[in-house]
Amino acid sequence: MPAPRSTNRKEDILQALAAMLQSNNGQRITTAALAEKVGVSEAALYRHFPSKARMFEGLIEFIEDTLLSRINVILDEHKDTASRTELILQLILVFAERNPGICRILTGDALQGEQERLQERVAQLFEKLETQLKQCLRERKLREGKGFNIDEGELANLLLATVEGKLSQFVRSGFTRLPTQHWANQWGLLQQTLFG
């Protein structure tokens, strides 16, 4: 008896691509290999996505939608700046840890040799994340009557650079050095330094 067909072939293609990004560390993924993994012809892939670049864009859109929607929930549910900041940074780390193949997109590792616009899309995503952090930090003056000893934009940049470094270590280690490893202690130090 054949396996039941999925109702969303586009989603199947993106999930297969993410899985291949995790298992084919450092190797370029061909549409032929992806079609084989999904169990369809290359022509069938192109019925859902006009190009491999559009498949990567689909994954980037998924990343962006997931992270930004969850950040909005964090901002709605938490009013303390330290908690908001911690939860946003932790969200990115945990998301990357649970999605190693997708983490390779976030670090740009999987996009080497692909269209430049894909790198630009990831850069735009990180700009949006940095803007969210900066806004969160700026609201501290309004919410708590306290500021920082550094510009909020510079601080947001530093915090995001820390997270990006942990993502790069995760990819570089072949997914063995988890982004959340030591994070509780590292955040404790950051929190004590930044929020007193």
Side-chain angles (χ1 to χ4, degrees):
M1 185 172 179
R5 289 197 117 197
S6 171
T7 55
N8 191 342
R9 185 62 78 186
K10 257 183 143 168
E11 192 175 297
D12 291 345
I13 293 167
L14 294 179
Q15 286 177 352
L17 178 57
M20 290 179 76
L21 287 171
Q22 179 178 347
S23 61
N24 295 12
N25 201 3
Q27 297 175 7
R28 193 174 163 120
I29 294 171
T30 64
T31 53
L34 179 59
E36 183 180 330
K37 173 100 172 157
V38 178
V40 298
S41 66
E42 281 187 78
L45 285 182
Y46 289 118
R47 280 196 290 277
H48 297 286
F49 294 97
S51 66
K52 189 165 74 162
R54 271 300 300 139
M55 294 175 205
F56 277 109
E57 284 178 351
L59 283 177
I60 295 168
E61 287 167 9
F62 166 75
I63 296 165
E64 186 171 312
D65 292 346
T66 301
L67 291 178
L68 294 179
S69 66
R70 290 182 183 170
I71 287 171
N72 286 334
V73 170
I74 290 168
L75 296 176
D76 285 344
E77 292 180 356
H78 301 272
K79 301 308 175 197
D80 175 67
T81 305
S83 296
R84 287 173 149 195
T85 305
E86 176 185 14
L87 290 169
I88 291 170
L89 298 175
Q90 186 174 312
L91 166 68
I92 300 166
L93 295 172
V94 170
F95 178 81
E97 188 172 304
R98 290 182 180 165
N99 300 282
I102 287 176
C103 187
R104 288 191 59 224
I105 291 174
L106 288 171
T107 63
D109 179 65
L111 302 177
Q112 299 300 319
E114 300 294 340
Q115 293 186 13
E116 189 176 323
R117 78 171 190 262
L118 297 172
Q119 294 275 8
E120 292 168 2
R121 283 290 310 273
V122 172
Q124 289 170 356
L125 169 60
F126 276 100
E127 286 173 20
K128 289 177 183 179
L129 294 173
E130 190 170 325
T131 298
Q132 288 280 6
L133 279 169
K134 181 169 46 175
Q135 184 61 38
C136 174
L137 295 167
R138 284 192 173 147
E139 288 178 7
R140 184 177 191 219
K141 286 180 187 170
L142 297 172
R143 292 182 184 281
E144 300 163 35
K146 300 173 187 172
F148 294 98
N149 294 331
I150 184 174
D151 175 78
E152 290 88 352
E154 292 174 20
L155 180 53
N157 178 264
L158 172 66
L159 292 171
L160 194 58
T162 301
V163 167
E164 287 187 67
K166 290 183 79 62
L167 300 185
S168 291
Q169 288 176 341
F170 184 45
V171 171
R172 195 171 52 246
S173 72
F175 310 121
T176 59
R177 191 168 188 180
L178 300 178
T180 57
Q181 184 179 6
H182 310 302
W183 179 245
N185 290 335
Q186 292 164 339
W187 173 252
L189 178 62
L190 288 169
Q191 183 177 15
Q192 183 179 2
T193 303
L194 300 174
F195 297 97

